């Protein structure tokens, strides 16, 4: 447990802040960060200390506004004047606490345990064209992370692909070279002094190297080389080729199994012209570079054997009806016949009525025989 704070404002303040800095980082109440693929970088203790000092000063400003905001003007001026005088007499809190006492921070433009100057000096670290790694902390490497276009230990030179457009004792402007130039004297295509990888210098111009025509390209046995600006690509040969010199079946060095040379191309062989499928009820089907045996039409494969497909019988319209429903339907059928006879008789069509009665009588007699139930059931079920 930390000892009881010493007497006096400055030592007590030092004790409180050092105790706070010694606590685990979750004590700082902050909004939960959004989910990230990698854990966030822990802030340097110097940055945490600086934040605490800034918060302390903001609190003092609020105190001034709250306690000197209206009332006895003369009294406020007297007290406020004394308050400001005490602030001016007090040492710089950041320097005293974070740098001198806790030894967490360094002055601006310095870094490391002994506060070494950053490259370029404390006035303009990294020449003003970069950021010193670990600047203002008791950690870091002090290496300059230069802005785009600048390079060198203290960012005092133009980087790869840039040239000096303007320079004086305190100012440097770096502008981009023409695309493939690594070093140049100006922005034009003919100002190149050195070329980037994949290009060759020719009369102060950078010309693309065709790696596919040299030993620089390294592609697989079933690939071919395609030149690109400053580089090359390896692409797969066509399926018909065993090795190739370009895209398509017309650039093969040798044909793959299942293909044959026809003119200048490797074309698929139709194995079904000569191949015979050994299984019963099988037929041959040609595929790209090969063939396969499938069941003939009307057959399907079951456990490796082609068997005839069974076509299910079509169900009758009344196949789902119950026996009681069939009896009711039969009664309705005879009721319709009787109604038809009555209608014909009422119209006086005696000849047609007689023919119709004879047909119905014959049908009824047949149904009343020993087969009538089966015939009626079969008729109703559509069989």
């Amino acid at each position: 447990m930390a000892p009881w704070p010493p007497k006096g404002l400055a030592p007590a303040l030092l004790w409180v802040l050092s105790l706070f800095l010694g606590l685990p980082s979750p004590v700082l109440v902050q909004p939960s960060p959004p989910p990230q693929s990698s854990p966030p970088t822990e802030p340097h203790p110097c940055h945490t200390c600086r934040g605490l000092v800034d918060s302390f000063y903001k609190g003092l400003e609020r105190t001034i506004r709250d306690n000197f905001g209206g009332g006895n003007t003369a009294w406020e001026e007297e007290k406020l004047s004394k308050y400001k005088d005490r602030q001016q007499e007090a040492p710089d809190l950041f320097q005293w606490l974070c740098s001198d006492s806790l030894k967490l921070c360094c002055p601006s433009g310095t870094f490391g345990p002994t506060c070494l100057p950053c490259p370029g000096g404390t006035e303009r670290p990294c020449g003003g064209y970069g950021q010193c790694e670990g600047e203002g902390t008791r950690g870091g490497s002090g290496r300059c992370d230069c802005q785009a276009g600048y390079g060198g230990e203290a960012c005092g030179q133009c980087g790869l692909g840039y040239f000096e457009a303007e320079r004086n004792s305190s100012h440097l402007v770096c502008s981009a070279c023409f695309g493939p130039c690594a070093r140049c004297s100006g922005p034009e295509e003919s100002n190149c002094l050195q070329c980037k990888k994949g290009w060759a210098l020719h009369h102060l111009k950078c010309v693309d190297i065709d790696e596919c025509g040299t030993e620089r390209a390294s592609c697989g046995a079933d690939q071919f080389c395609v030149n690109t600006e400053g580089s090359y690509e390896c692409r797969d040969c066509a399926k018909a080729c065993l090795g190739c010199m370009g895209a398509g079946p017309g650039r093969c060095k040798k044909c793959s199994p299942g293909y044959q040379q026809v003119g200048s191309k490797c074309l698929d062989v139709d194995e079904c012209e000569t191949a015979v499928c050994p299984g019963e009820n099988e037929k041959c089907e040609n595929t790209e570079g090969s063939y396969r045996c499938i069941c003939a039409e009307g057959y399907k494969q079951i456990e490796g054997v082609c068997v005839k497909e069974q076509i299910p019988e079509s169900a009758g319209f009344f196949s789902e009806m119950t026996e009681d429903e069939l009896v009711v339907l039969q009664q309705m059928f005879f009721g319709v016949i009787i109604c038809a006879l009555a209608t014909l008789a009422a119209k006086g069509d005696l000849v047609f009525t007689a023919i119709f009665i004879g047909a119905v009588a014959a049908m009824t007699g047949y149904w009343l025989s020993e087969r009538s139930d089966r015939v009626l059931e079969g008729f109703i079920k559509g069989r």
Side-chain angles (χ1 to χ4, degrees):
M1 183 175 178
W4 189 257
K7 295 181 180 181
L9 177 60
L13 182 61
L14 173 61
W15 180 85
V16 171
L17 292 178
S18 61
L19 179 63
F20 188 87
L21 288 170
L23 293 174
S25 57
V27 170
L28 295 175
V29 180
Q30 297 177 347
S32 300
Q36 299 180 357
S37 58
S38 58
T41 305
E42 288 291 333
H44 191 276
C46 173
H47 300 152
T48 304
C49 187
R50 182 185 294 276
L52 290 174
V53 171
D54 291 343
S55 298
F56 178 75
Y57 280 130
K58 289 179 181 178
L60 288 180
E61 292 177 2
R62 285 196 299 269
T63 300
I64 294 173
R65 290 196 303 268
D66 294 342
N67 292 288
F68 300 94
N72 190 332
T73 306
W75 182 87
E76 288 179 0
E77 290 179 352
E78 179 185 357
K79 297 298 182 182
L80 183 59
S81 177
K82 292 181 179 179
Y83 189 83
K84 290 182 177 179
D85 290 341
R86 290 175 183 175
Q87 276 192 305
Q88 293 174 355
E89 293 174 359
D92 178 79
L93 181 58
F94 174 78
Q95 177 68 31
W96 169 74
L97 175 65
C98 302
S99 182
D100 298 340
S101 300
L102 299 180
K103 297 189 181 302
L104 298 174
C105 301
C106 287
S108 177
T110 60
F111 76 99
T114 57
C115 295
L116 297 173
C118 288
T122 57
E123 294 297 325
R124 293 187 66 194
C126 300
Y129 301 111
Q131 182 69 35
C132 175
E133 184 180 324
E135 178 187 358
T137 71
R138 297 293 178 118
S141 65
R143 182 181 61 85
C144 284
D145 185 10
C146 302
Q147 300 173 7
Y150 296 86
E153 182 181 354
C155 304
Q157 303 172 10
C158 290
L160 189 68
Y162 290 81
F163 69 97
E164 291 186 7
E166 184 180 344
R167 176 189 280 276
N168 56 36
S169 58
S170 61
H171 193 63
L172 172 63
V173 176
C174 295
S175 298
C177 296
F178 183 76
C181 301
R183 290 179 56 248
C184 64
S185 59
E188 303 297 329
E189 180 183 7
S190 58
N191 295 146
C192 296
L193 302 176
Q194 180 183 346
C195 297
K196 295 178 181 178
K197 183 180 179 181
W199 303 82
L201 189 64
H202 182 70
H203 298 303
L204 298 180
K205 292 183 179 181
C206 289
V207 181
D208 176 50
I209 298 174
D210 185 359
E211 290 87 354
C212 297
T214 67
E215 295 182 354
R216 298 186 182 188
S218 178
C219 295
D222 292 329
Q223 293 181 321
F224 63 96
C225 178
V226 176
N227 186 57
T228 61
E229 285 196 350
S231 187
Y232 68 95
E233 294 178 355
C234 292
R235 300 179 185 176
D236 294 335
C237 296
K239 186 178 179 181
C241 302
L242 280 180
C244 63
M245 299 171 289
R251 303 299 303 278
C252 300
K253 294 180 179 178
K254 187 178 178 182
C255 295
S256 299
Y259 296 85
Q260 61 183 352
Q261 188 84 29
V262 179
S264 61
K265 294 183 178 181
C266 289
L267 300 181
D268 176 51
V269 175
D270 187 356
E271 291 85 356
C272 293
E273 293 181 353
T274 56
V276 177
C277 291
E280 188 176 0
N281 302 319
E282 286 185 338
K283 68 176 183 178
C284 177
E285 182 180 66
N286 187 54
T287 61
E288 187 74 17
S290 185
Y291 72 98
R292 62 183 178 183
C293 293
I294 61 174
C295 292
E297 186 176 355
Y299 293 84
K300 64 178 180 180
Q301 193 175 69
I302 299 177
E303 296 181 357
V305 179
C306 292
V307 298
K308 191 173 183 61
E309 291 184 310
Q310 299 295 327
I311 301 176
E313 295 183 2
S314 58
F317 184 75
F318 301 102
S319 61
E320 300 298 328
M321 296 183 69
T322 64
E323 293 295 331
D324 292 339
E325 291 172 338
L326 289 172
V327 172
V328 173
L329 185 61
Q330 182 181 1
Q331 293 173 352
M332 292 175 62
F333 173 75
F334 284 108
V336 170
I337 293 176
I338 294 172
C339 291
L341 289 174
T343 302
L344 291 173
K347 290 183 177 181
D349 194 345
L350 299 178
V351 177
F352 188 78
T353 301
I355 296 173
F356 188 76
I357 290 173
V360 171
M363 185 182 297
T364 304
Y366 184 75
W367 278 343
L368 292 176
S369 67
E370 60 181 358
R371 297 176 60 196
S372 63
D373 291 341
R374 291 199 304 272
V375 172
L376 178 61
E377 182 179 358
F379 171 78
I380 293 175
K381 290 189 176 181
R383 298 177 181 173

